[in-house]
Amino acid sequence: MERYLLNVLHSSLHIKQFKQIHGLIVTNYPALTPFFVQGLLRLSIIVYARQVFDRIPQPSKILYNSLISTYSKLSLYKEALDAFVLMHDSGARVVCSTIPPVMKSCTSLLAGELANEIHSLVVKYGFSSDVFVQTPLMDFYAKIGDIDSAKKVFDEIFVKDPICYNCLISGYSKSGDVVAAQQLFDEMSERTVVSWNSMISCYANNGHYREGLRMFERMQVERFRPNEISVATVLSICAKLRDLEMGLRVKKFIDENNLCINMIVSTALLEMYVKCGAVDDARQEFEHMDRRDVVAWSAMIAGYAQNGRPSEALELFERMKSKQIKPNDVALVSVLSACSQLGSLEAGERIGNYVESQGFVFNVYVASALLDMYSKCGNISKARQIFNHMPQKDVVSWNSMIVGLAANGFAKEAINLFEKMKEIRVKPNDITFVGILTACTHAGLLELGLRIFRSMKSDHEITPTIEHYACVVDLFCRSGKLKDAHEFICRMEVEPNVVIWGTLLSASRIHSNLELAEFSVKKLLELEPENSGNYILLSNIYASAGRWEESLTVRNLMTTNRVQKTSAYSWIEMDNKVHKFLVGDTSHPGSNDVYRIVDGLAMQSTWVGYNFESALEFSWCS
DNA sequence: TTAGGGTTAG
């Protein structure tokens, strides 16, 4: 009977059959209990196995090993480590085969202290020559970025297999030492597909995208068949390079070589489309996927948010929830960004409540996106509250708050925050300076703005970009210092663009500086000869100065250059229908009502002191 | 042992 039971326990039983046998073992064959537990563990029936395991007075080291490795196999790393501690405390001797699943668990949980203790045990028990023990140990050091320790373990391994090399290559990759990784790769006498993939991702993760692509090509030249992981990595390189052509070549390669398009490859393809701006192709890929996890959903939602299509991001987010996929931090960040773009406080608040109730506010990405949403949707005090309660803040959190305050008219507070940021040694970046210079512009703080601008290079080692120069030009212009603005433009280290000349032009018109207006609009004409607006502006400038002939010449120039005047219109979307506002058009059936309301608004605005001037020639057409 | 998604400006 005992022999029969042992045989049965080796087969694939249903849990019901286990329960029947359990009864038999408890009453008649208690000595078979460990074998019973082994049978359960073999089939990963872990909870039941653990219940029975806990009733065994002194489990053997073999049984402990099985328990630990099953936990590790099921990714229950914490349970694996707890079981290991229990084993160690019970006095059961740790054997060689205990170490790999325990180290794997330490790596996954980044349990450094325990890992160090295990390393000592490995030395104490003399397991140091065992490649199966050393590899996961080295992998641990590699993954936490302690490349020196990883290398030390690597050097101690007597007979090194490709896995050892691969582990250390990814260690070098993580610590950014591309040269050492490549050297190690070159030293290998026998490479596997993992070695190639590790090298490709080493280049990809360290910004050497072209090198990564070259590695992929070299791999094929040397007759190594790329697998799904290779192509997913290469697709992510194409995404980072925004190289749609290369991405499509990789897709063709996948099809021609019958590589399996699993979820990760599909998501990588989707991401490649998104980053290249081909959002509709991404959506098509998304719709073709037979299985979609939260990463696939998040990638598509982010795709819409990043490409200025926030309504679709929001729509997809709702669809994801209706499919019972629980949103995670990444999905929330993207959908919050979509709400910011829409200025939709209602949707934003709904998601904000969810974020707070589920504890996502402790995630620095989510909290930054949340505070940005509140500030863009007009609830600046809620934005402040989120910011003040953040347990950790990164440069993006600070930037979001500074930009939010500046945009909401709290320029001085934004500047104070910038000072505080520097005080606690958070390194400002280029975006910080765009935000802070805008704040100075709004508050009319010319001297301070200039001082901060000059400090960019001298104190913060940030080279100003065209955006920063544009901020300073705006700063001069809004203070009425047009001449200074012009001189500044002439001294700039970058070529002025249309934003810069446009800023000077509009200020010149406000301050009736004909000379500068003429100068800047001519520059605009040089930069964009196809823009009809520039011709009209110049023509109007001459006309208003009574220089009729020149005015006419510009109009004629427009004809010779075949520039057509395009009508500028504004539009709103209501009930899925787009309504356009165009100057001088009364064709819309509701245009009488529209005018009535616009007139009413104009009157109210005049009462509160706004000078409406001639801004009311809008009518409505659909 | 290798692989996928995120926030800030203009």
Side-chain angles (χ1 to χ4, degrees):
Chain A
M1 185 60 183
E2 275 187 38
R3 183 165 289 270
Y4 169 74
L5 279 175
L6 278 175
N7 278 335
V8 169
L9 283 171
H10 261 93
S11 52
S12 282
L13 299 174
H14 189 265
I15 192 137
K16 261 189 190 161
Q17 296 164 305
F18 268 116
K19 282 189 174 157
Q20 286 168 351
I21 297 172
H22 195 190
L24 207 60
I25 286 178
V26 169
T27 48
N28 298 322
Y29 305 99
L32 291 186
T33 313
F35 299 100
F36 181 75
V37 174
Q38 290 279 18
L40 287 168
L41 290 174
R42 211 171 291 122
L43 298 174
S44 299
I45 309 174
I46 188 76
V47 177
Y48 189 8
R50 183 60 194 258
Q51 279 168 2
V52 186
F53 178 93
D54 283 338
R55 288 196 209 107
I56 300 174
Q58 276 214 307
S60 68
K61 60 188 180 203
I62 295 170
L63 203 58
Y64 266 116
N65 272 356
S66 302
L67 183 73
I68 293 167
S69 70
T70 307
Y71 274 135
S72 163
K73 202 175 75 194
L74 296 172
S75 309
L76 295 165
Y77 302 120
K78 187 166 183 313
E79 285 79 358
L81 293 185
D82 288 345
F84 172 73
V85 172
L86 196 69
M87 174 186 190
H88 194 241
D89 291 349
S90 77
R93 197 182 141 80
V94 172
V95 288
C96 234
S97 55
T98 319
I99 306 297
V102 174
M103 272 320 297
K104 190 179 171 221
S105 305
C106 284
T107 306
S108 300
L109 297 173
L110 298 173
E113 236 170 84
L114 192 59
N116 286 333
E117 282 174 36
I118 290 162
H119 196 167
S120 312
L121 281 181
V122 166
V123 176
K124 183 175 151 196
Y125 291 135
F127 300 151
S128 296
S129 57
D130 189 321
V131 66
F132 292 101
V133 170
Q134 295 293 65
T135 306
L137 196 59
M138 179 178 68
D139 187 47
F140 169 80
Y141 288 120
K143 288 240 167 69
I144 63 161
D146 182 354
I147 190 67
D148 294 333
S149 303
K151 178 75 168 58
K152 232 176 181 166
V153 179
F154 177 84
D155 288 337
E156 281 168 13
I157 302 173
F158 194 57
V159 184
K160 298 178 180 76
D161 60 10
I163 299 176
C164 303
Y165 282 92
N166 297 342
C167 267
L168 195 62
I169 287 175
S170 23
Y172 281 127
S173 164
K174 180 152 178 110
S175 58
D177 196 341
V178 186
V179 177
Q182 182 68 57
Q183 255 170 19
L184 202 62
F185 179 85
D186 292 338
E187 271 172 32
M188 290 177 78
S189 52
E190 186 198 338
R191 299 181 188 120
T192 64
V193 65
V194 179
S195 323
W196 288 94
N197 291 349
S198 302
M199 266 328 289
I200 296 171
S201 74
C202 172
Y203 283 120
N205 294 334
N206 289 288
H208 304 279
Y209 304 126
R210 297 284 166 200
E211 284 298 318
L213 292 178
R214 234 169 292 183
M215 214 61 200
F216 180 64
E217 276 160 22
R218 206 182 121 193
M219 175 180 193
Q220 290 158 69
V221 172
E222 296 192 20
R223 306 247 161 245
F224 257 92
R225 186 179 148 82
N227 63 8
E228 303 81 66
I229 296 179
S230 331
V231 291
T233 314
V234 169
L235 281 170
S236 81
I237 293 180
C238 299
K240 285 182 181 120
L241 287 170
R242 313 274 191 264
D243 190 339
L244 183 61
E245 205 188 306
M246 178 68 75
L248 290 173
R249 284 227 295 273
V250 178
K251 184 179 172 356
K252 201 169 151 216
F253 177 89
I254 296 171
D255 294 335
E256 283 172 356
N257 289 275
N258 285 323
L259 285 176
C260 150
I261 303 192
N262 60 18
M263 194 161 54
I264 291 192
V265 174
S266 280
T267 311
L269 206 50
L270 187 161
E271 175 65 9
M272 185 275 294
Y273 283 129
V274 159
K275 287 279 147 65
C276 295
V279 195
D280 295 315
D281 293 309
R283 180 61 183 260
Q284 216 167 25
E285 183 62 37
F286 179 79
E287 292 301 333
H288 282 136
M289 290 172 77
D290 49 7
R291 224 161 55 84
R292 303 179 195 105
D293 63 0
V294 69
V295 176
W297 283 94
S298 309
M300 194 62 241
I301 294 171
Y304 281 126
Q306 288 164 3
N307 283 281
R309 288 165 64 170
S311 311
E312 283 147 296
L314 222 61
E315 227 173 85
L316 208 63
F317 181 72
E318 291 304 324
R319 208 179 114 200
M320 172 177 110
K321 283 201 300 188
S322 74
K323 301 257 179 205
Q324 316 297 327
I325 309 258
K326 217 170 134 50
N328 66 359
D329 46 352
V330 181
L332 288 167
V333 163
S334 296
V335 82
L336 280 169
S337 157
C339 294
S340 304
Q341 289 175 46
L342 283 170
S344 165
L345 186 59
E346 199 190 314
E349 263 177 343
R350 209 172 52 237
I351 293 157
N353 290 338
Y354 180 81
V355 163
E356 293 198 58
S357 71
Q358 301 293 310
F360 281 112
V361 267
F362 299 112
N363 178 304
V364 62
Y365 282 90
V366 180
S368 301
L370 188 64
L371 88 84
D372 175 64
M373 183 278 292
Y374 277 119
S375 90
K376 294 253 170 67
C377 295
N379 191 345
I380 188 73
S381 56
K382 182 75 186 172
R384 267 197 208 99
Q385 187 201 325
I386 307 272
F387 180 77
N388 291 335
H389 285 101
M390 282 175 76
Q392 297 158 346
K393 301 179 182 90
D394 63 4
V395 64
V396 179
S397 330
W398 287 87
N399 289 353
S400 303
M401 195 67 242
I402 288 173
V403 169
L405 286 168
N408 281 275
F410 299 95
K412 295 241 166 77
E413 204 182 327
I415 292 159
N416 289 341
L417 210 58
F418 174 64
E419 292 301 328
K420 197 165 165 205
M421 176 183 182
K422 288 193 292 185
E423 242 172 67
I424 61 167
R425 305 208 176 281
V426 179
K427 214 169 140 24
N429 63 13
D430 50 339
I431 297 175
T432 319
F433 285 98
V434 174
I436 208 68
L437 290 171
T438 321
C440 291
T441 307
H442 288 244
L445 297 164
L446 178 63
E447 283 310 317
L448 181 65
L450 289 176
R451 220 167 38 235
I452 291 174
F453 176 76
R454 283 187 215 110
S455 78
M456 283 179 67
K457 219 171 192 173
S458 59
D459 301 358
H460 304 280
E461 291 157 342
I462 296 172
T463 309
T465 64
I466 190 93
E467 282 81 18
H468 301 108
Y469 285 106
C471 285
V472 176
V473 171
D474 199 21
L475 198 55
F476 277 123
C477 285
R478 287 194 197 223
S479 315
K481 308 215 174 233
L482 301 194
K483 243 182 101 191
D484 292 323
H486 186 209
E487 277 171 23
F488 179 78
I489 295 174
C490 297
R491 286 200 318 267
M492 273 166 38
E493 281 174 31
V494 292
E495 252 338 281
N497 62 4
V498 289
V499 178
I500 305 239
W501 290 120
T503 307
L504 186 63
L505 169 66
S506 75
S508 311
R509 293 177 70 205
I510 290 168
H511 293 95
S512 308
N513 187 328
L514 203 69
E515 195 190 342
L516 270 185
E518 185 186 356
F519 187 79
S520 38
V521 85
K522 277 185 175 167
K523 289 286 180 188
L524 279 172
L525 268 176
E526 281 171 26
L527 287 172
E528 36 173 33
E530 70 291 346
N531 186 341
S532 61
N534 298 329
Y535 294 86
I536 310 274
L537 274 173
L538 186 57
S539 159
N540 290 349
I541 287 167
Y542 286 137
S544 61
R547 290 153 69 177
W548 304 108
E549 245 173 65
E550 283 159 294
S551 172
L552 200 66
T553 316
V554 176
R555 289 275 175 173
N556 290 337
L557 189 68
M558 216 174 140
T559 326
T560 23
N561 286 2
R562 293 171 189 237
V563 181
Q564 288 216 327
K565 182 178 184 287
T566 45
S567 315
Y569 63 83
S570 316
W571 56 270
I572 59 163
E573 195 181 327
M574 259 166 53
D575 299 329
N576 289 326
K577 202 173 166 209
V578 175
H579 299 270
K580 281 183 187 170
F581 291 87
L582 196 73
V583 177
D585 190 318
T586 50
S587 63
H588 192 278
S591 81
N592 282 342
D593 293 335
V594 174
Y595 271 118
R596 203 165 36 75
I597 290 170
V598 172
D599 287 343
L601 283 172
M603 219 179 294
Q604 282 182 30
S605 307
T606 315
W607 288 335
V608 295
Y610 182 77
N611 184 3
F612 232 73
E613 288 181 2
S614 58
L616 291 173
E617 280 174 47
F618 291 102
S619 77
W620 192 335
C621 69
S622 58

